[in-house]
């Protein structure tokens, strides 16, 4: 397995509020990406807390028979810690973060998201988003109020769930089997708000190394405006 991660502040922001972490062991492989939000440097604090707390919880408590529960409990741990810190520190008030998690065990991908950071799978010339956004746009799509084409022109930054904002949040957890040569992409909306899925697919189709694919996608997002932080992890299975 080959993987690579990159994160970039972009062209407009002063701080990088994204975070990522990768962990590999004989039993499992773990990849996490987060996109923080909040005033001052609070978003950066929230995203870094989330990836580290989730990683530590999963590593300490790993049980291949209960991975859904493991993911849910790790995110709950992060949510509680971030929320408590925000309530105790005025400069952190209201901070939160999206989160996207991928765990690979025995040729199976377990994946989860809160918010609008995404996971894509490119498998046998089929490219698709396998996570589902928690966003206002996605809710409009779900009820048929707008089309996929309409969605391109709606505000992209209105998330309906995040880690650390409240006691309750929405979380998606799922799993799919993996095949040799599958490509898995985790990213923040600094990529997907600026680059269409078809263009992301084109990069993955070209069978670059993971590092080169990450760098090309980062360059494309910055060239198209780079108005947000950009974080990308690509796993070539």
């Amino acid at each position: 397995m080959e993987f690579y991660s990159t994160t970039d502040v972009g062209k407009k922001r002063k701080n990088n509020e994204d975070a990522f972490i990768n962990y590999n062991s004989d039993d499992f492989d773990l990849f996490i990406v987060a996109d923080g939000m909040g005033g001052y440097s609070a978003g950066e604090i929230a995203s870094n807390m989330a990836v580290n707390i989730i990683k530590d919880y999963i590593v300490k408590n790993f049980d291949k028979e209960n991975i859904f529960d493991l993911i849910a409990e790790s995110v709950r741990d992060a949510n509680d810690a971030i929320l408590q810190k925000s309530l105790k520190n005025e400069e952190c008030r209201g901070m939160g973060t999206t989160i996207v998690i991928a765990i690979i065990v025995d040729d199976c991908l377990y994946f989860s998201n809160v918010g609008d950071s995404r996971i894509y799978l490119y498998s046998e010339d089929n490219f698709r988003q396998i996570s589902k956004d928690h966003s206002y746009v996605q809710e409009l799509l779900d009820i048929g109020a707008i089309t996929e084409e309409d969605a391109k022109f709606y505000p992209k930054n209105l998330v309906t769930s995040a880690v650390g904002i409240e006691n309750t949040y929405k979380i998606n957890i799922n799993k799919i089997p993996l095949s040799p040569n599958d490509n898995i992409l985790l990213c923040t909306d600094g990529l997907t708000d600026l680059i269409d899925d078809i263009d992301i697919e084109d990069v993955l189709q070209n069978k670059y190394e993971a590092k080169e694919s990450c760098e090309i996608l980062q360059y494309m997002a910055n060239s198209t405006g780079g108005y947000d932080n950009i974080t990308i992890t690509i796993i070539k299975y």
Side-chain angles (χ1 to χ4, degrees), residues 45-211:
I45 294 169
S47 62
N48 278 279
M49 285 182 66
V51 299
N52 282 287
I53 291 169
I54 290 169
K55 187 268 288 184
D56 289 347
Y57 188 96
I58 290 173
V59 170
K60 181 179 179 181
N61 299 283
F62 184 73
D63 176 3
K64 67 187 298 182
E65 304 302 324
N66 295 287
I67 295 179
F68 277 39
D69 289 342
L70 182 69
I71 291 171
E73 290 159 6
S74 71
V75 174
R76 186 179 305 116
D77 222 31
N79 188 78
D80 291 348
I82 294 167
L83 181 58
Q84 288 304 310
K85 187 173 183 67
S86 71
L87 294 175
K88 293 177 180 177
N89 297 272
E90 183 66 32
E91 67 275 12
C92 295
R93 195 63 48 85
M95 71 177 179
T97 184
T98 69
I99 199 78
V100 63
I101 303 166
I103 302 176
I104 298 174
V105 183
D106 296 339
D107 297 323
C108 190
L109 171 66
Y110 296 80
F111 59 98
S112 176
N113 73 288
V114 178
D116 62 355
S117 293
R118 294 180 176 178
I119 303 183
Y120 291 85
L121 178 67
Y122 179 76
S123 180
E124 296 182 342
D125 295 323
N126 178 24
F127 178 73
R128 68 191 191 276
Q129 179 184 342
I130 57 174
S131 59
K132 185 174 182 179
D133 296 351
H134 296 119
S135 68
Y136 176 63
V137 171
Q138 186 62 55
E139 289 186 353
L140 293 177
L141 286 167
D142 287 345
I143 63 173
I146 61 173
T147 65
E148 292 283 354
E149 188 63 27
D150 294 333
K152 296 178 182 178
F153 304 100
Y154 273 70
K156 302 292 197 301
N157 60 346
L158 301 176
V159 297
T160 55
S161 185
V163 175
I165 300 289
E166 299 177 336
N167 285 315
T168 59
Y169 51 89
K170 301 172 186 175
I171 182 170
N172 302 324
I173 307 176
N174 213 325
K175 70 174 182 177
I176 54 173
L178 290 173
S179 300
N181 302 315
D182 282 354
N183 282 229
I184 304 153
L185 166 69
L186 287 69
C187 62
T188 58
D189 64 352
L191 177 69
T192 53
D193 283 355
L194 287 170
I195 306 299
D196 289 339
D197 284 5
I198 192 169
D199 295 319
I200 298 174
E201 180 180 5
D202 284 344
V203 173
L204 296 181
Q205 276 181 332
N206 276 289
K207 296 180 171 57
Y208 300 114
E209 292 183 355
K211 180 178 186 292

